[in-house]
Amino acid sequence: MTPIAALRRRSLFAIAAAPLAAPAVAQPAWPANSIRFIGLFPPGGGTDILSRLWCIKMSEITGQQFVVENRAGSAGNIGTEAIARAVPDGNTIGLASVAPLGIGPTLYSRLPFNPTRDFSYVSGLWQLPNLLVVNNDVPARSVPELIALLRANPGRFAYASSGSGTTVHISGEMFKTMAGIDMLHVPYRGAAPAHVDIQGGRVHMIFDNIPQGLALHRDGKVRALAVTGAQRSPVAPEIPTMAEFLPGFEINSWGGVMGPAGMPPAIVARLNALTKQALESDDLKRRFLENGATPWWTTPEDFAAYRAANEAALAPIIRASGARVD
C-alpha cells in the first residue's frame, strides 16, 4: 500500500470512529407568548404608571403583550414574594422596587424572601425623587417655616405615607431625624387615599412620589415645598430641594425589572437588551420625564450591586429613625 493510500485509509477510520456531532437545537425566541409583569402597588400610583409605560413599549418592541398584574400590599412585599415564587422561565417578571429591596431588609424583622438569593436582577428602569406637599391649611410656605411650626407644636402634626416601608415613609422619618421634630406617621394603602385625607385636612403633609404630588400642587389642591433628590427636578425647577435647607438630605425612589432566581441567562440578557432599547426610545424617555422620572438602564450585575449598596446606605437612616415593622 502506498503512503498516500495508507493516509487516506487512516483518515477514513478516524472519521468513522469520531462521535457524531449533536444536531444544533434552535433556542426558542423570547418572548414567545404574553409576559406577566407583577406590579407591587395599587393601580394609578406613580410607579404603576411608569411600569405600564414600560410594558406598553416592550409590547410594541416584541410583538407580545406585557400584562401588568397588581399585587399590592405590605409596601410591595406581597408582590415581591409573588415574583420570587414564580416559575423562572421568563414568562413572569415584575417590578424591583426600593421599598421591599432597599428599605425592607432593615425595616422589617422578617421578610418572605431574600433580596440577595431569590431574584434574577435584569435592569434598572427609572429613578425619581419624592415631593413634600402640605395641605393648604398648613400656614408654612417654606421648609424653614414648616420646621419652625413643627418644633413649636411637637406631636400635633401628622404626615401620611403610601405604606410603612416605602420611600414616602422613610422620607418623613429622615425629615424628623434631621430637623429634630416630632410628628405622627399615618400609613395608608397607597397614595390615593392619603391624598384624599390631606386635601380634607385630616393629615397635614406627605413626601409623595413626584408625579401625583406635583399634579395636585399645580391644581392648587396642595402646596409643594421641596423635592428629596440631590438636584432640583427638571419637571419643576422652581421647587427647591430638601438639601438646600437640611444639607445631606437625599432619598430617591427607584424601580427596575427582575424575575425569580434561576431565570436562564440567555433570557436575562435578551430582556436586558430589549429594556435598553425601550428606555432609549424618544417616546418612552419623554413620557418618563413628564412623570418626573429619569430613565435608568443598567447591566444585570450593576443593578444587583446597586440594590445591595442602596440597602447598606439606607440602613443607618432607618435605624436612627427608630422605625421598625414586626
Side-chain angles (χ1 to χ4, degrees):
M1 182 182 295
T2 66
I4 293 177
L7 179 60
R8 286 175 178 167
R9 187 177 181 185
R10 285 196 299 271
S11 299
L12 289 172
F13 276 123
I15 293 171
L20 293 176
V25 178
Q27 295 296 319
W30 185 94
N33 45 39
S34 63
I35 300 300
R36 181 172 65 137
F37 182 92
I38 296 178
L40 310 186
F41 303 103
T47 56
D48 180 67
I49 291 170
L50 294 168
S51 295
R52 290 176 186 274
L53 289 171
W54 176 78
C55 285
I56 290 169
K57 191 62 186 180
M58 292 292 285
S59 298
E60 293 176 2
I61 292 172
T62 65
Q64 299 289 350
Q65 290 298 308
F66 280 62
V67 181
V68 177
E69 177 184 318
N70 294 93
R71 300 287 295 274
S74 188
N77 291 338
I78 290 175
T80 302
E81 181 183 7
I83 298 169
R85 295 180 181 274
V87 177
D89 58 4
N91 292 323
T92 298
I93 56 177
L95 179 64
S97 171
V98 58
L101 300 174
I103 296 170
T106 304
L107 182 69
Y108 286 83
S109 58
R110 296 180 304 276
L111 286 174
F113 50 82
N114 183 298
T116 303
R117 297 195 307 263
D118 291 346
F119 303 102
S120 298
Y121 291 99
V122 177
S123 174
L125 291 177
W126 67 75
Q127 294 203 16
L128 75 162
N130 292 335
L131 177 69
L132 169 60
V133 300
V134 300
N135 72 42
N136 289 328
D137 292 331
V138 173
R141 296 187 172 274
S142 68
V143 171
E145 289 182 7
L146 180 62
I147 292 173
L149 177 67
L150 296 174
R151 285 177 177 168
N153 297 275
R156 294 183 57 187
F157 285 80
Y159 78 96
S161 80
S162 52
S164 296
T166 60
T167 58
V168 182
H169 169 207
I170 300 305
S171 294
E173 293 300 316
M174 186 184 298
F175 182 43
K176 287 170 59 177
T177 300
M178 295 185 67
I181 56 176
D182 177 25
M183 58 180 178
L184 177 68
H185 171 223
V186 182
Y188 289 79
R189 286 183 61 86
H195 281 300
V196 172
D197 278 3
I198 289 171
Q199 293 172 67
R202 288 175 286 277
V203 286
H204 302 95
M205 67 197 80
I206 187 172
F207 283 85
D208 200 12
N209 293 154
I210 195 169
Q212 307 99 298
L214 187 59
L216 292 172
H217 164 70
R218 287 177 170 165
D219 286 343
K221 296 177 180 178
V222 297
R223 188 182 313 117
L225 299 185
V227 296
T228 64
Q231 290 86 33
R232 295 192 180 200
S233 170
V235 300
E238 73 280 6
I239 300 175
T241 67
M242 290 292 293
E244 292 175 42
F245 312 105
L246 296 171
F249 193 112
E250 180 186 356
I251 185 168
N252 287 298
S253 177
W254 54 260
V257 58
M258 67 183 183
M263 278 177 58
I267 292 180
V268 172
R270 176 155 172 77
L271 179 54
N272 179 270
L274 291 170
T275 296
K276 187 173 190 290
Q277 182 180 345
L279 293 176
E280 289 179 348
S281 63
D282 290 339
D283 54 341
L284 186 60
K285 285 194 291 187
R286 175 178 54 79
R287 295 299 305 276
F288 269 25
L289 291 172
E290 287 173 353
N291 283 276
T294 301
W296 178 48
W297 176 84
T298 70
T299 66
E301 297 78 15
D302 285 347
F303 189 33
Y306 179 89
R307 185 220 63 81
N310 190 238
E311 177 189 339
L314 291 174
I317 298 167
I318 297 167
R319 294 192 186 105
S321 75
R324 188 72 173 166
V325 179
D326 294 322

